[in-house]
């Protein structure tokens, strides 16, 4: 949901800002803009509809000098994508320029008041209200920018990460956050970077400050970072070390980040398990479980809250926790949970799953659970994001930055953490026999190796993909642990190829979707060898009887399915509960290759964003 970036220092700001926007483009890419104060103290703002590359093309030949600037890549909420609605927004006099990520809920009232005082607006965004309000307060009260921002934000309701330039004071940037992420990077020469996440900052410095809600910061060249809260009281910024390598932010020879991230999964899962599973591969240690053992072991119920792909991981978590720990689990869309007035007990454990750690609905669900007295456990990828800071404890999935908008390695990382969590709790609760626990831990450790085997299907899937580019609808079927895999496979296809797809529990097909099946309808079935295998075979027969074309994901050595399905993709065998980690791989590859065949921008699918910081 919009990426923001800023720089103030001795270097030319423009290339740093453009590179930063490229790194943040996963957050939104319908328009982009940059504001720079040049040596003559001119405040130049350039904006373009489209991607960052369109902005660069627009800026060619223009004055992009200056060593202070801010830039923005947008995911529209208020006002269509256009250069007018793109950020930065100028104040009425042209003295200030502002970028904003978030939503200002009381913008209409604020705007009405400002319009009544003769201030003319240039865009239809909620964001412009902020810059007009700040300038109005500066002028009418004779305040400096830093002070005026404090006064202005006290009147603002909503979510924001903002940064503002003042032409009259070119050696400073003022920024602030409330419910939208903002990181400040501290350079070695008194220079500052700021961004929605650490990825645009990582190549310049590893010292960062994650601003907290209500923080307003003054980045003044050659000075220390100053932070105050909304009441103007000084806050002591905590400096953290970040650990992101440049390689993690580059494509490393792959045509798209998504493909790179699919192939990274074996290594990522090893990273995820490293230090948590011992070298003998027979014991899992999660520090979060050690620290909060009693709370977790005594949970009367678990409620998982999440959105999108993370919600699918939650459905797998439900089956794992219920079957291994014998604790009832509910899985909720965070967006519904927050408004549903749910029954929450103090001895409930709420697990919030989120790759970005910034999803607004998940954050609101956490808030609700905490205020009802539940214990909240986070499963997150982005280090230092809001969700790990709002939960009592949790586990990072440690799969490295995920840039492709369609989640792949974060999903398998989340499932791996859920496997480790369920096994650990089951062991503590004595709901699993010691030898079964050890066998399962050993198998979990073998999963990355099996994923490598599953990835070998890439070329076969690349050859298959063109057959399905004609499809308007696809059906994904699975049962048990593979049902969420079917949902996730369908979501991947929808997200990046824009083909309508539905995931269904295979047996439910006959209660509706079967009406859709004809020879134009590809049906992807996860039919691995497990206790429901024979039932899935019957479901495939039903599809075949109606002329449907079946692609079956089967366990290596399955000869029966080869006769039944139009195409089979073989997968290495594993325990039923770990099957999602393997079966997801060919479905990710399938979505990827179909989208590539259709000429789609796989990493930046239309209308989507990776970090959804609005409701
Ligand atoms: C967006 C992303 C999805 C993601 C969902 C939840 O819709 O495009 O890939 O699954 O948000 O995000 P989270 O960061 O909370 O996992």
């Amino acid at each position: 949901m919009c990426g923001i970036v800023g720089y103030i220092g001795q270097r030319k700001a423009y290339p740093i800002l453009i590179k930063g926007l490229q790194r943040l483009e996963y957050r939104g890419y319908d328009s982009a803009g940059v504001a720079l104060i040049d040596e003559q103290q001119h405040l130049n703002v350039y904006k373009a509809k489209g991607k960052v590359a369109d902005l660069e093309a627009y800026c060619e030949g223009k004055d992009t000098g200056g060593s202070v600037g801010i830039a923005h890549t947008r995911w529209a909420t208020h006002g269509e994508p256009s250069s007018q609605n793109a950020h930065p927004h100028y104040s009425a006099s042209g003295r200030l320029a502002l970028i904003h990520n978030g939503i200002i809920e009381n913008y209409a009232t604020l705007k009405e008041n400002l319009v009544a005082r003769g201030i003319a607006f240039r865009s239809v965004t909620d964001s412009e209200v902020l810059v007009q309000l700040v300038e109005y307060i500066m002028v009418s009260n004779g305040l400096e920018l830093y002070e005026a921002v404090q006064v202005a934000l006290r009147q603002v309701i909503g979510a924001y990460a903002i940064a503002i330039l003042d032409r009259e004071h070119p050696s400073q940037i003022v920024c602030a956050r409330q419910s939208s992420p903002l990181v400040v990077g501290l350079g070695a020469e008194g220079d500052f970077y700021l961004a929605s996440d650490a990825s645009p900052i990582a190549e310049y410095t590893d010292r960062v400050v994650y601003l907290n809600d209500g923080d307003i910061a003054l980045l003044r060249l050659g000075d220390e970072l100053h932070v105050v809260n909304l009441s103007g009281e000084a806050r002591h910024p905590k400096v953290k070390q970040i650990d992101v390598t440049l390689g993690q932010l580059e494509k490393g020879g792959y045509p798209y980040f998504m493909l790179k991230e699919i192939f990274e999964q074996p290594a990522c899962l090893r990273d995820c398990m490293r230090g948590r599973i011992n070298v003998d591969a027979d014991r899992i240690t999660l520090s979060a479980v050690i620290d909060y053992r009693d709370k977790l072991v005594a949970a009367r119920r678990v409620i998982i809250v999440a959105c999108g792909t993370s919600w699918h991981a939650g459905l797998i978590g439900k089956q794992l926790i219920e079957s291994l720990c014998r604790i009832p689990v509910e899985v909720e869309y965070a967006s519904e949970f927050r408004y549903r007035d749910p029954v929450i007990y103090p001895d409930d454990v709420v697990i919030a799953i989120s790759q970005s750690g910034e999803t607004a609905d998940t954050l609101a669900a956490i808030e609700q659970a905490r205020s009802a007295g539940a214990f909240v456990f986070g499963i997150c990828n982005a280090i230092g994001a809001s969700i790990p800071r709002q939960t009592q404890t949790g586990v990072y999935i440690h799969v490295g930055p995920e840039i492709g908008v369609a989640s792949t390695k974060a999903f398998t990382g989340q499932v791996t953490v859920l496997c480790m969590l369920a096994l650990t709790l089951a062991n503590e609760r004595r709901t699993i026999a010691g030898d079964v626990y050890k066998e399962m831990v050993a198998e979990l450790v073998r999963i990355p190796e099996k994923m490598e085997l599953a990835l070998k299907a890439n070329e076969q899937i690349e050859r298959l993909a063109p057959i399905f580019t004609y499809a308007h609808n696809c059906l994904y079927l699975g049962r048990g642990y593979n049902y969420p895999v079917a949902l996730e496979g369908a979501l991947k296809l929808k997200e990046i190829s824009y083909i309508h797809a539905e995931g269904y529990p295979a047996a439910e097909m006959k209660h509706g979707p079967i009406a859709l099946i004809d020879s134009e309808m590809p049906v992807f079935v996860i039919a691995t060898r497990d206790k429901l295998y024979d039932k899935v075979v019957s479901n495939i027969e039903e599809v075949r009887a109606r002329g449907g074309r079946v692609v079956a994901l089967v366990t290596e050595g399955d000869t029966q399915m080869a006769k039944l399905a139009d195409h089979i993709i073989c997968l290495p065998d594993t325990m039923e509960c770990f099957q999602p980690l393997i079966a997801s791989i060919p479905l990710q590859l399938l979505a990827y290759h179909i989208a590539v065949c259709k000429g789609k921008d796989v990493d930046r699918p239309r209308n989507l964003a990776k970090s959804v910081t609005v409701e």
Side-chain angles (χ1 to χ4, degrees):
M1 295 295 101
C2 304
I4 74 177
V5 55
Y7 172 73
I8 180 163
Q10 289 78 23
R11 305 167 57 183
K12 190 174 177 199
Y14 178 74
I16 297 173
L17 297 175
I18 290 292
K19 208 168 189 189
L21 285 185
Q22 284 161 347
R23 298 228 191 278
L24 291 176
E25 219 175 3
Y26 71 84
R27 301 179 67 86
Y29 32 80
D30 57 43
S31 50
V34 56
L36 299 149
I37 304 179
D38 69 11
E39 281 73 23
Q40 290 73 44
Q41 241 169 289
H42 293 136
L43 175 56
N44 296 315
V45 172
Y46 306 117
K47 316 199 273 193
K49 186 179 167 185
K51 304 207 162 121
V52 175
D54 298 299
L55 174 67
E56 268 188 284
Y58 178 74
C59 288
E60 229 159 86
K62 299 205 166 54
D63 173 13
T64 55
S67 51
V68 53
I70 54 178
H72 185 271
T73 176
R74 182 167 184 247
W75 187 88
T77 57
H78 295 58
E80 55 161 19
S82 66
S83 61
Q84 211 168 17
N85 290 333
H87 304 212
H89 294 291
Y90 273 125
S91 60
S93 74
R95 173 178 167 178
L96 307 179
L98 167 141
I99 51 176
H100 166 229
N101 166 32
I103 287 187
I104 305 306
E105 286 169 17
N106 62 336
Y107 87 101
T109 321
L110 294 170
K111 188 170 177 175
E112 215 172 281
N113 290 337
L114 291 163
V115 170
R117 286 170 172 77
I119 293 167
F121 279 71
R122 298 181 184 93
S123 76
V124 295
T125 63
D126 55 331
S127 309
E128 190 185 346
V129 115
L130 293 171
V131 74
Q132 305 298 8
L133 179 65
V134 170
E135 184 172 80
Y136 177 76
I137 290 170
M138 270 175 92
V139 173
S140 46
N141 299 292
L143 297 177
E144 290 297 321
L145 176 63
Y146 191 37
E147 300 160 327
V149 170
Q150 296 166 36
V151 177
L153 292 181
R154 290 202 281 269
Q155 301 178 28
V156 170
I157 301 168
Y160 50 80
I162 55 168
I164 314 179
L165 291 185
D166 179 358
R167 181 177 72 193
E168 314 273 305
H169 294 282
S171 56
Q172 65 172 35
I173 301 177
V174 174
C175 57
R177 95 155 247 175
Q178 176 67 47
S179 308
S180 292
L182 195 55
V183 190
V184 177
L186 311 176
E189 293 145 1
D191 45 345
F192 293 100
Y193 302 81
L194 69 95
S196 301
D197 70 32
S199 63
I201 298 175
E203 63 187 283
Y204 308 108
T205 178
D206 59 358
R207 295 173 63 234
V208 299
V209 171
Y210 291 95
L211 294 186
N212 289 311
D213 279 348
D215 281 355
I216 302 165
L218 173 64
L219 281 51
R220 201 159 43 191
L221 195 57
D223 195 0
E224 279 175 7
L225 176 69
H226 293 274
V227 182
V228 290
N229 64 15
L230 285 172
S231 321
E233 293 150 1
R235 313 251 299 186
H236 294 291
K238 269 198 212 129
V239 181
K240 296 211 162 146
Q241 200 91 7
I242 45 165
D243 182 22
V244 178
T245 65
L246 217 50
Q248 290 174 319
L249 304 172
E250 310 273 335
K251 285 190 201 141
Y254 286 91
Y256 287 99
F257 280 110
M258 184 179 175
L259 190 63
K260 175 184 172 233
E261 287 158 2
I262 291 173
F263 272 86
E264 270 173 1
Q265 289 176 102
C268 290
L269 294 206
R270 287 187 182 107
D271 288 344
C272 175
M273 291 187 265
R274 183 164 303 126
R276 292 164 170 168
I277 301 187
N278 61 351
V279 279
D280 295 334
D282 61 5
R283 184 156 194 91
I284 300 171
T285 309
L286 295 176
S287 50
V289 177
I290 296 175
D291 296 347
Y292 294 93
R293 186 189 173 280
D294 296 346
K295 211 65 210 163
L296 293 165
V297 166
R300 170 152 83 153
R301 178 177 63 157
V302 169
I303 303 172
I304 298 179
V305 291
C307 304
T309 290
S310 300
W311 185 81
H312 294 157
L315 292 179
I316 298 167
K318 171 184 167 77
Q319 297 190 45
L320 284 161
I321 296 170
E322 286 190 340
S323 72
L324 296 175
C325 314
R326 309 310 299 156
I327 304 173
V329 183
E330 286 168 27
V331 188
E332 300 261 5
Y333 284 118
S335 53
E336 288 297 310
F337 182 80
R338 63 185 289 191
Y339 290 116
R340 216 172 35 74
D341 193 16
V343 178
I344 305 170
Y345 301 108
D347 50 2
D348 280 342
V349 168
V350 172
I351 301 181
I353 310 178
S354 169
Q355 49 85 20
S356 65
E358 299 294 349
T359 303
D361 286 323
T362 311
L363 274 162
I366 291 171
E367 173 70 41
Q368 182 163 8
R370 286 195 69 161
S371 56
F375 182 79
V376 187
F377 185 100
I379 296 180
C380 187
N381 192 31
I383 315 282
S386 302
I387 288 177
R389 289 186 286 140
Q390 310 265 311
T391 44
Q392 274 114 322
T393 186
V395 177
Y396 279 115
I397 63 175
H398 286 314
V399 297
E402 189 179 65
I403 315 283
V405 165
S407 185
T408 52
K409 63 176 183 173
F411 172 70
T412 48
Q414 290 164 345
V415 174
T416 305
V417 164
L418 287 162
C419 291
M420 292 194 285
L421 180 63
L423 282 165
T424 308
L425 289 182
N427 197 36
E428 294 291 339
R429 285 169 59 88
R430 302 270 173 264
T431 48
I432 189 170
D435 53 340
V436 178
Y437 167 81
K438 284 186 181 175
E439 247 174 73
M440 291 185 75
V441 176
E443 179 61 9
L444 186 57
V445 170
R446 282 192 290 268
I447 291 294
E449 217 174 288
K450 296 192 173 185
M451 276 183 151
E452 276 156 7
L453 297 174
L455 283 164
K456 289 197 193 302
N458 183 43
E459 283 176 19
Q460 181 200 357
I461 294 169
E462 192 175 0
R463 283 195 302 275
L464 270 181
I467 309 174
F468 302 110
T469 48
Y470 71 88
H472 296 293
N473 296 293
C474 292
L475 194 58
Y476 285 70
L477 302 177
R479 298 193 71 161
Y481 281 99
N482 285 329
Y483 161 52
V485 178
L487 291 179
E488 176 58 9
L491 180 66
K492 285 289 86 84
L493 189 72
K494 269 187 275 209
E495 284 181 315
I496 59 171
S497 74
Y498 318 143
I499 295 175
H500 170 247
E502 278 194 64
Y504 245 81
E508 271 295 302
M509 178 191 62
K510 57 186 173 290
H511 300 295
I514 199 162
L516 299 170
I517 290 172
D518 61 18
S519 60
E520 310 240 306
M521 173 93 150
V523 182
F524 302 105
V525 189
I526 306 141
T528 46
R529 279 256 174 227
D530 54 35
K531 62 175 185 290
L532 292 171
Y533 176 81
D534 292 332
K535 311 268 177 209
V536 175
V537 169
S538 309
N539 298 138
I540 292 177
E541 296 277 15
E542 289 156 13
V543 174
R544 296 285 297 159
R546 283 146 188 94
R549 304 178 66 171
V550 175
V551 179
L553 272 52
V554 303
T555 308
E556 248 163 9
D558 184 334
T559 47
Q560 183 180 357
M561 201 59 81
K563 292 181 208 137
L564 201 57
D566 296 274
H567 306 277
I568 58 162
I569 297 168
C570 294
L571 298 174
D573 195 14
T574 183
M575 290 173 180
E576 204 173 320
C577 65
F578 301 141
Q579 198 55 254
L581 294 168
I582 307 293
S584 298
I585 302 257
L587 297 185
Q588 294 167 350
L589 288 168
L590 199 67
Y592 169 82
H593 286 297
I594 293 174
V596 169
C597 282
K598 294 191 76 166
K600 304 300 179 204
D601 184 347
V602 173
D603 285 337
R604 291 168 301 185
R606 71 180 180 207
N607 305 341
L608 298 180
K610 188 151 193 73
S611 182
V612 182
T613 52
V614 296
E615 277 195 45

